[in-house]
Every structure is written in C-alpha cells, then in structure tokens.
Amino acid sequence: MTTTTARETQTTATEKTQVTGIVIGASRIVISFLFGFHGLQGFGFFGGVDGQGGGVPFGSFPGWWGSVFELVGALLLLVGLASRPAAILLSGVMAYAYFTVHAPMGLLPLQNMGEPAAVYSWIFLLFAAIGPGRFAIDTLIKRRR
C-alpha cells in the first residue's frame, strides 16, 4: 500500500493542469488555423466557394460578411486575443450557416453536408466556455495582472 502525501497530490494536480492547458492551447491553434482557410475560401482562395476560385460578391450578406467574421475570428482565436468573444461569435456564425444553408436540405448533418458547420459551432462554443488554454495573449495578459 502506497501512502500519498499532500505534496505529491498537489504536484500531480499541477502537472495535469499544465498538460490540460497545453492541449487546449494546441487544439485552439490548430482548429483556428484550419478554420481560417474556410474563411479565405469566401474570398476566392483555395478553390473558392465554387471550387473554381470564385469568391462571394463584395459586401454581400451573409456570404462576404460571414467570410470576414470567419477570417478575423480565426485570427483572434489563433493568437488567443479576445478568444472567448471570438469563439462565441464563430460559434454563432457556424450555427447560422448550419440552420440557414444546410438544415433546409435535410434533417441530419450527414444528409445536408452540414457536419463541418455543426462540429465547428460546438468546438467554438467549447473554447468560449473553457478559455484559450496556454500560448494565448489572453493568458499572458491575465498573468501580468
């Protein structure tokens, strides 16, 4: 039988917290990086919205504005600046995209090709709830206070 001291328990808890912060931060960076490409598609990059390099018309709603929100939100989330508000905005943008574009085509995400929008919406909601993790400007600002 092993006796665990309070110091060992505290050290283990601290190590778990550090690893969790790193995993959350790394996940935030990777997901926001990938999502940024999604926003760039609206401007004609990476095959554009039609696979032929076409972008959405300048100033059009919701397409062009959605692409602006996606790109700016992804950049904010990538660096971890105003990450919770950016994550809430991105979650809403993806929920709006799901219900207005995909849901009318079918009930289930696999039927209506809305699975990426649904998954991104929930992931961004998760980041809004748990925060940016490590490697975020928000975290650095919080530490300095």
Side-chain angles (χ1 to χ4, degrees):
M1 183 178 262
T2 305
T3 307
T4 306
T5 65
R7 178 174 274 238
E8 289 172 344
T9 303
Q10 184 179 8
T11 302
T12 304
T14 303
E15 289 171 355
K16 271 187 175 179
T17 303
Q18 289 177 348
V19 170
T20 301
I22 291 169
V23 170
I24 291 168
S27 298
R28 174 188 47 80
I29 290 167
V30 170
I31 290 167
S32 60
F33 179 76
L34 295 173
F35 190 70
F37 291 115
H38 183 76
L40 286 171
Q41 278 187 307
F43 300 116
F45 296 96
F46 307 106
V49 292
D50 58 1
Q52 304 288 319
V56 293
F58 178 81
S60 66
F61 183 81
W64 189 83
W65 286 103
S67 295
V68 169
F69 291 150
E70 290 167 1
L71 186 56
V72 172
L75 290 172
L76 287 171
L77 203 57
L78 179 72
V79 298
L81 181 62
S83 50
R84 286 181 193 252
I88 289 170
L89 174 71
L90 293 177
S91 179
V93 167
M94 287 293 93
Y96 179 85
Y98 180 80
F99 287 111
T100 60
V101 176
H102 299 284
M105 293 189 289
L107 178 64
L108 300 174
L110 289 175
Q111 295 171 323
N112 63 29
M113 297 180 294
E115 189 174 14
V119 170
Y120 272 126
S121 181
W122 283 101
I123 287 172
F124 292 136
L125 188 61
L126 178 66
F127 285 133
I130 64 175
R134 303 268 303 232
F135 319 118
I137 292 174
D138 288 343
T139 305
L140 292 174
I141 292 169
K142 186 178 177 182
R143 282 186 191 159
R144 289 191 177 218
R145 290 184 183 169

